[in-house]
Amino acid sequence: AETAKRTSMQITHPFSAVTTLEDIRSVSPALERYTTTTLSGDLWKRPNLTPRDRSIVTLAALIARNQTVEIPFHVNLALDNGVKPAEISEIITHLAFYSGWPNAMSAVVVTKEIFSQRKIGIDQLPPALDKLLPLDEAAEARRATAVAENVGPVAPGVVKYTSELLFHDLWLRPALAPRDRSLVTVSALIAGGQVAQIPFHLNRSMDNGLTKDEASEVLAQLPFYAGWPNVMSAVPVVKDVFEKRPN
Amino acid sequence: AETAKRTSMQITHPFSAVTTLEDIRSVSPALERYTTTTLSGDLWKRPNLTPRDRSIVTLAALIARNQTVEIPFHVNLALDNGVKPAEISEIITHLAFYSGWPNAMSAVVVTKEIFSQRKIGIDQLPPALDKLLPLDEAAEARRATAVAENVGPVAPGVVKYTSELLFHDLWLRPALAPRDRSLVTVSALIAGGQVAQIPFHLNRSMDNGLTKDEASEVLAQLPFYAGWPNVMSAVPVVKDVFEKRPN
Amino acid sequence: AETAKRTSMQITHPFSAVTTLEDIRSVSPALERYTTTTLSGDLWKRPNLTPRDRSIVTLAALIARNQTVEIPFHVNLALDNGVKPAEISEIITHLAFYSGWPNAMSAVVVTKEIFSQRKIGIDQLPPALDKLLPLDEAAEARRATAVAENVGPVAPGVVKYTSELLFHDLWLRPALAPRDRSLVTVSALIAGGQVAQIPFHLNRSMDNGLTKDEASEVLAQLPFYAGWPNVMSAVPVVKDVFEKRPN
């Protein structure tokens, strides 16, 4: 079975074509209906999370899951929904660390085309070295102590990079507000099925200003972009965080 | 190291070329041997799971893991193994929910080419709105109660969509038999390393007619298409489900 | 929102173009800085893990995560860092089993181009049937007993293939040293978030000669190529393995 079929049949098409409604219909009229009625006509119009924030959540999920086919569509939609080019740039940079360099590189490959088409030049992007936000010394001391204790005996290199690159540099870059950076991180964790880090980052996101109602809508947005199971696995962890936070 | 090598060297080839045996041999003669001898000559001929079912399991794994390079080959093989175009259409629609829209969109991009090559028109696909199967009211009441209790306090939007879209619509669409829909779901969960949802869906698949022997062969099929570790992580969960079911 | 934007806008570019520093800068000057300063200027020069080993770890992570965009760059870098063509061939073959056939097929598609460009012919690759290394009968008996007990009642097919294909064939192929094969496996497990199999394979890697200092540096390398969360989830498991091993 496997062998006989491996002929030289080839399918040529653009790497990151946008899938049109006509394309979807030619494979599944039902999927076109859900795309039009449920996603476009309902999900993106729900209250408690703005279209801008839904774009950030969705883009984070796509990059975290290396979904290159859909990234161009959602980079364009994000720009239309008011996410600034500088913020998209910073989201990709942030996820280089939280999803890995290759995910960021795949996002670069398609985003550079969109930026070029929309005449978004380097003057609209955050500088390589930016004026950093002030560090919350107390919170950072608590984090550093925990990581030094848990990670230090096993991987001192990870401790060093986590401190220097993430918490004394990346998280303090001003082109993406801490609340939005947290939104990206939590979305990427849920989309990637990485529940272990949700408590720390969901608490941090709420410390950074994300509300419970918004977090609840992040959970409503993500089943469509990361699949139902990843969200269902995140729910008990989110529930536990909600219950333990002071009102 | 990183920098010096990032020249403008480019590799152009079709996005979803079928990898031929000659291609495989040019990188690994051993991998060609395993492909021919083990996969083609042994795995796909094993008893207790038909080639049609193996195609469904494999296609579900590929879409769940967004493996676009191999999807064209396996859509063709599935059609040759007796999976109907309407069923392939419905598998993609089903996985839009269980793996996410971007996975389905990637599958659409390549499947539309196959459908076009094989002259499969919209008349062979399930309608956008289909006559739904009857709902098992008792089972649905149990499910709805559990989800309302566990998910309701955290994400009412997820409760609403799970009920309306999944269990009162998608699962009742007749173009994919409930047993096959369960087979797709269980395969996607195992292939994606999502063990938490296996008990519910494996039990549901067996309620829908999947036998223990078939489930056992799903586990034998998937190491080759989703990697050994995902299957090894699923085994204790499957074992527990088997042991707790009445004979 | 979803619908309106699904025009026929298309983006054409090579499937696996190497992302240049200029490309990165056009989307994120900061990401270019991190790529140059941190990855190239620091990470790859760290002690306790050679550039050759870092290439093996990185390539395993990319293939495990199906990161086709970056594979060409890192296959070239691996060859420059002293990984032999036969070893790259064998890494891909190994990961066909540990990450799945589709991941290996995606790696084949791009690696065959590199091999062709660098005039690496089949004479430099391991033969399909190779003279196998001697089997450690005692260790294999322990492994076989555990798997027969845990997996046998559920999936006899998995038991059979695990024994015949993995431990009496693949692991004994001489073109990749057991220590390197273990390094590939552990890297793929961490990169894929598959913590359950880390204890067995990390112990095996250390039995095969990987040192604690090297394992620690694997953890420092992988956040950049598989994202911080996957490494943070692996750390407690690695810590537990370290603590339980006799000095």
Side-chain angles (χ1 to χ4, degrees), chain A residues 83-106:
Chain A
V83 184
K84 292 186 202 127
E87 290 170 325
I88 288 174
S89 171
E90 206 65 24
I91 288 168
I92 294 171
T93 304
H94 189 82
L95 290 174
F97 294 91
Y98 281 91
S99 301
W101 237 253
N103 300 58
M105 292 298 115
S106 299

Side-chain angles (χ1 to χ4, degrees), chain C residues 6 15 17 27-28 37 43 60 72 76 80 112 116 121 135 139 141 145 162 175 180 197 209 215 221 243-244:
Chain C
R6 292 203 174 272
F15 174 38
V27 172
S28 170
T37 310
L43 178 70
N76 267 315
D80 294 343
K112 79 181 165 80
S116 165
L135 181 68
T145 304
T162 303
D180 293 339
Q197 275 81 30
Q221 180 79 7
E243 285 169 358
K244 289 184 177 156

Side-chain angles (χ1 to χ4, degrees), chain A residues 2 6 14-21 23-24 35-36 39-41 44-45 64 66 68 70 72-74 76-77 80-81 85 88-90 92-93 96-115 117-118 120-122 125-130 147 149-151 153-158 160-162 164-166 169-170 173 189 194 196-197 225, chain C residues 1-20 22-36 38-39 42-46 54 58 61-62 65-71 74 101 105 112 190-193 212-213 215-240 242-243:
Chain A
E2 269 279 346
R6 293 203 174 273
F15 174 37
S16 290
V18 170
T19 315
T20 65
L21 288 174
D23 292 336
I24 302 173
T35 304
T36 307
L39 270 59
S40 194
W44 284 80
K45 296 177 178 171
N66 208 36
T68 32
E70 286 288 282
F73 173 75
H74 281 286
N76 267 315
L77 181 59
D80 294 344
N81 281 339
I88 288 174
S89 171
E90 206 65 24
I92 294 171
T93 304
F97 294 91
Y98 281 91
S99 301
W101 237 253
N103 300 58
M105 292 298 115
S106 299
V108 160
V109 165
V110 290
T111 303
K112 79 182 165 80
E113 299 287 331
I114 310 283
F115 280 8
Q117 286 168 12
R118 294 178 74 135
I120 296 168
I122 203 165
L125 305 180
L129 285 165
D130 214 340
V147 169
E149 197 174 308
N150 297 326
V151 185
V154 182
V158 174
K160 171 180 179 287
Y161 284 132
T162 303
E164 287 177 14
L165 292 173
L166 298 193
D169 181 355
L170 184 72
R173 289 178 54 85
L189 290 172
Q194 286 156 325
Q197 275 81 29
Y225 294 97
Chain C
E2 269 279 346
T3 316
K5 307 287 304 182
R6 292 203 174 272
T7 62
S8 60
M9 182 267 298
Q10 306 235 320
I11 297 179
T12 312
H13 64 80
F15 174 38
S16 290
V18 169
T19 315
T20 65
E22 192 185 351
D23 293 335
I24 301 173
R25 190 184 325 132
S26 73
V27 172
S28 170
L31 193 54
E32 184 202 17
R33 170 173 70 91
Y34 291 123
T35 304
T36 308
T38 305
L39 270 59
D42 178 10
L43 178 70
W44 284 80
K45 296 177 179 172
R46 284 174 63 89
R54 288 182 191 274
T58 305
L62 292 172
R65 292 163 62 79
N66 208 36
Q67 302 275 19
T68 32
V69 167
E70 286 289 282
I71 290 178
H74 281 286
W101 237 253
M105 291 299 115
K112 79 181 165 80
I190 297 172
K212 267 194 196 184
D213 283 347
S216 172
E217 276 304 306
V218 170
L219 290 173
Q221 180 79 7
L222 282 172
F224 297 95
Y225 294 98
W228 240 260
N230 279 319
V231 173
M232 285 305 195
S233 295
V235 161
V237 185
V238 173
K239 195 176 178 183
D240 191 59
F242 280 7
E243 285 169 358

Side-chain angles (χ1 to χ4, degrees), chain B residues 140-206:
Chain B
E140 172 56 13
R142 283 194 302 275
R143 186 210 61 78
T145 304
V147 169
E149 196 174 308
N150 297 327
V151 185
V154 182
V158 174
V159 175
K160 171 181 179 287
Y161 285 132
T162 303
S163 174
E164 287 177 13
L165 292 172
L166 298 193
F167 291 95
H168 287 78
D169 181 355
L170 184 72
W171 276 91
L172 305 179
R173 289 178 55 84
L176 193 66
R179 177 261 192 198
D180 293 340
R181 213 173 267 284
S182 277
L183 186 62
V184 167
T185 311
V186 169
S187 300
L189 290 172
I190 297 172
Q194 286 156 324
V195 293
Q197 275 80 29
I198 291 177
F200 175 81
H201 281 289
L202 181 58
N203 272 307
R204 185 177 172 94
S205 77
M206 297 175 82

Side-chain angles (χ1 to χ4, degrees), chain A residues 1-3 5-6 9, chain B residues 18 70-78:
Chain A
E2 269 279 346
T3 316
K5 308 286 305 179
R6 293 203 174 273
M9 183 266 298
Chain B
V18 170
E70 285 289 281
I71 290 177
F73 172 76
H74 281 286
V75 168
N76 267 315
L77 181 59

